[in-house]
Amino acid sequence: MAVQAFTSSRVVLPGKMGAFAVFVEGQRIVEVVPRNQIPRSVPVTDLGDLAILPGLVDSHIHINEPGRTEWEGFRTATRAAAAGGYTTLVDMPLNCVPATTSPEALDAKRKAAQGQCQVDWAAWGGLVPENLERIAPLASAGVFGFKCFLIHPGIDEFTMINESHLRTALPNLKKTGLPLLVHAELPGPIDSATEELMQADWRVYGTYLNSQPDESELSAIELLIRLCEESGCRIHIVHLSTSKALARLQDAKRRGLAITVETCPHYLHLCSDEISNGATLHKCAPPIRSRENREALWQGLREGIIDFVATDHSPCPPAMKQMERGDFRSAWGGIPSVSVALSLMWTEASRRGFSLVDMVRWMAEGPAQLAGLEERKGRLASGFDADMVVFDPEAEWTVTPADLHYRHAISPYLGERLTGKVLMTFLRGECVYKQGSFLAESRGREYTRKPFVTDQN
Ligand SMILES: [Zn+2]
């Protein structure tokens, strides 16, 4: 197969950016070389000043199919991803029915995905009280790690676990070498705060925020740091919202514990000071906190205490957001963002002096590493999948429903003016998205790991 070169003055490689050419043969990157070393015989697509980034990896997305395809599904989620510059999604095990907690459920998901995907995907497995002793079969079936909740997850098919469940599961998990992703909130502080706010006005965002105290995240994270130290398991904190946990996490990392942390674009872009009463599109858990907290999260990213950024794209039908009632207590919590996440992040990051190299570290390399995809995804380098994003870092644009592409075009970001736009997305060498249009449809496939070996009988 013929080699072709994609070249630009802003190609983002691991740790640096510059004038390079990316040579692609078939589905893989053969080599990346300085632009002045392109052989004459190779056909060149010169992208001028536009940036070429590796395809982004989202390690936290709720695709919801099978079972809740009316919320979101493989076709719509993966199209939205392609439009947002994501080429690999790792699907959370809940909100779909069945939840991905057994090899049979993973099979059902694989069947549902078939022929529908615009980008590649992989699956996380769920850790629930029913499968604490049956981690190995699901690991062998091909999940890249496990996700659990220390608080009620908002739906009934996925059960939360507690410290004693964790103590049972962690030795089994350790044998797999796979990470445990944890929704780190403990119910105690939330239950008592909510109880005290029974008579408050739940149309006011501050009521919801007060019902979700930092203490809930803090106590969960302290527990997880202890268990990480005791078990030696890889533990990953999903969607960190409170900056008050950063000092403890920094200390745990300094002590060499295998703990990693993500936060999300909504915690880095929005803040409670600007959320209007009744604006339930902004509800998520843990909640969006103060402006001061947001700035401290940026500092956490700057210092590397927060490892990367994932979307927690979690859509639902508009009726579940109860926008007319505007009741933060009963509205569904979840913010979809996969199609706009890169622009949201770049709008905020460029203003704070970060570079596209930082974006790629947070939105491609970091998530790929957590999920164990780092040999093929998340970087422009020899031997990697030819997943590429053509991004215009200077473009200014306004978010409209037509830009969202997921199942229901609702978003707290509609009407916002953002900086930086995805123009094209390439999946394994082929252009699958170009300026609003989807090409080469349904090329996405499940990313599978090499055969899995465990010493567990
Ligand atoms: Zn989530």
Side-chain angles (χ1 to χ4, degrees):
M1 203 170 286
V3 173
Q4 51 179 324
F6 295 87
T7 179
S8 154
S9 59
R10 288 195 273 195
V11 178
V12 184
L13 304 182
K16 63 178 171 186
M17 176 164 55
F20 290 92
V22 183
F23 288 99
V24 172
E25 182 175 21
Q27 305 194 23
R28 298 285 181 100
I29 295 170
V30 191
E31 214 181 345
V32 182
V33 300
R35 193 145 91 158
N36 56 13
Q37 291 177 21
I38 305 172
R40 274 168 198 241
S41 55
V42 174
V44 176
T45 305
D46 188 347
L47 292 156
D49 231 11
L50 300 172
I52 305 178
L53 279 49
L56 306 182
V57 176
D58 193 1
S59 59
H60 192 155
I61 185 161
H62 297 268
I63 296 177
N64 301 343
E65 185 173 3
R68 282 205 178 84
T69 313
E70 71 277 17
W71 293 17
E72 181 64 300
F74 277 99
R75 185 176 150 79
T76 43
T78 58
R79 283 164 75 102
Y86 283 93
T87 48
T88 312
L89 307 177
V90 194
D91 181 41
M92 280 296 171
L94 73 159
N95 300 358
C96 50
V97 187
T100 320
T101 54
S102 67
E104 296 73 31
L106 180 58
D107 277 348
K109 184 162 284 290
R110 285 171 169 156
K111 282 199 187 84
Q114 223 144 59
Q116 294 213 73
C117 296
Q118 197 65 11
V119 300
D120 288 348
W121 69 282
W124 297 118
L127 183 67
V128 289
E130 298 78 29
N131 72 358
L132 302 174
E133 309 273 11
R134 293 200 307 276
I135 286 174
L138 188 49
S140 304
V143 299
F144 284 76
F146 290 81
K147 162 82 179 286
C148 69
F149 273 72
L150 302 180
I151 193 165
H152 189 274
I155 41 111
D156 292 328
E157 307 84 19
F158 197 93
T159 321
M160 60 189 268
I161 63 175
N162 57 29
E163 180 172 351
S164 113
H165 294 129
L166 279 169
R167 287 184 185 282
T168 306
L170 287 173
N172 299 327
L173 187 78
K174 177 120 196 255
K175 291 176 189 161
T176 70
L178 298 177
L180 179 65
L181 285 67
V182 189
H183 180 121
E185 285 184 296
L186 290 185
I190 290 178
D191 291 347
S192 38
T194 306
E195 184 73 36
E196 276 174 31
L197 291 162
M198 287 301 251
Q199 304 308 320
D201 183 355
W202 284 84
R203 278 184 49 84
V204 176
Y205 184 74
T207 304
Y208 175 63
L209 180 58
N210 290 336
S211 75
Q212 314 279 307
D214 300 85
E215 180 54 29
S216 164
E217 281 188 84
L218 265 180
S219 52
I221 288 168
E222 281 168 358
L223 168 66
L224 291 166
I225 291 173
R226 279 202 304 279
L227 292 174
C228 181
E229 185 156 29
E230 285 171 34
S231 67
C233 281
R234 289 169 63 197
I235 291 185
H236 177 74
I237 315 284
V238 297
H239 52 48
L240 178 74
S241 150
T242 178
S243 61
K244 295 202 170 128
L246 289 170
R248 287 162 178 85
L249 288 163
Q250 184 173 40
D251 174 66
K253 289 184 158 204
R254 280 191 180 145
R255 289 190 286 128
L257 302 188
I259 197 153
T260 51
V261 189
E262 81 193 23
T263 190
C264 309
H266 40 270
Y267 302 125
L268 295 166
H269 177 62
L270 303 168
C271 63
S272 58
D273 319 50
E274 290 168 7
I275 301 178
S276 316
N277 292 347
T280 50
L281 287 172
H282 296 73
K283 180 180 172 183
C284 59
I288 292 157
R289 303 185 191 275
S290 67
R291 180 178 288 119
E292 192 188 357
N293 183 77
R294 177 182 72 188
E295 296 314 309
L297 290 177
W298 276 105
Q299 189 57 26
L301 264 173
R302 193 184 293 277
E303 291 175 20
I305 306 169
I306 298 173
D307 296 87
F308 63 80
V309 176
T311 68
D312 195 9
H313 174 85
S314 184
C316 67
M320 290 180 68
K321 278 292 189 183
Q322 305 186 4
M323 286 177 278
E324 275 161 30
R325 276 180 68 197
D327 183 340
F328 280 101
R329 185 143 189 221
S330 50
W332 168 257
I335 298 182
S337 68
V338 74
S339 40
V340 293
L342 178 57
S343 298
L344 287 171
M345 283 296 296
W346 182 237
T347 301
E348 296 290 342
S350 55
R351 191 181 279 174
R352 291 173 174 82
F354 292 104
S355 73
L356 289 172
V357 175
D358 298 308
M359 306 293 293
V360 164
R361 193 158 44 84
W362 297 331
M363 301 178 83
E365 291 177 64
Q369 202 154 24
L370 172 74
L373 314 172
E374 74 274 11
E375 285 175 15
R376 290 254 306 276
K377 300 286 191 187
R379 290 169 70 164
L380 296 175
S382 171
F384 277 63
D385 283 352
D387 296 345
M388 299 181 291
V389 184
V390 178
F391 184 68
D392 181 352
E394 271 89 43
E396 301 247 332
W397 62 290
T398 303
V399 184
T400 71
D403 298 308
L404 300 178
H405 301 290
Y406 45 83
R407 186 165 299 277
H408 303 283
I410 54 171
S411 165
Y413 308 120
L414 284 176
E416 278 207 49
R417 192 91 185 136
L418 300 179
T419 305
K421 191 149 179 56
V422 172
L423 302 181
M424 280 187 260
T425 303
F426 290 80
L427 177 70
R428 287 180 279 106
E430 209 164 325
C431 185
V432 294
Y433 171 82
K434 188 174 180 181
Q435 292 179 311
S437 300
F438 297 96
L439 315 167
E441 297 223 44
S442 310
R443 271 193 89 238
R445 64 181 186 213
E446 185 187 2
Y447 181 94
T448 49
R449 206 177 38 220
K450 291 173 207 132
F452 182 76
V453 187
T454 169
D455 56 358
Q456 195 168 12
N457 299 318

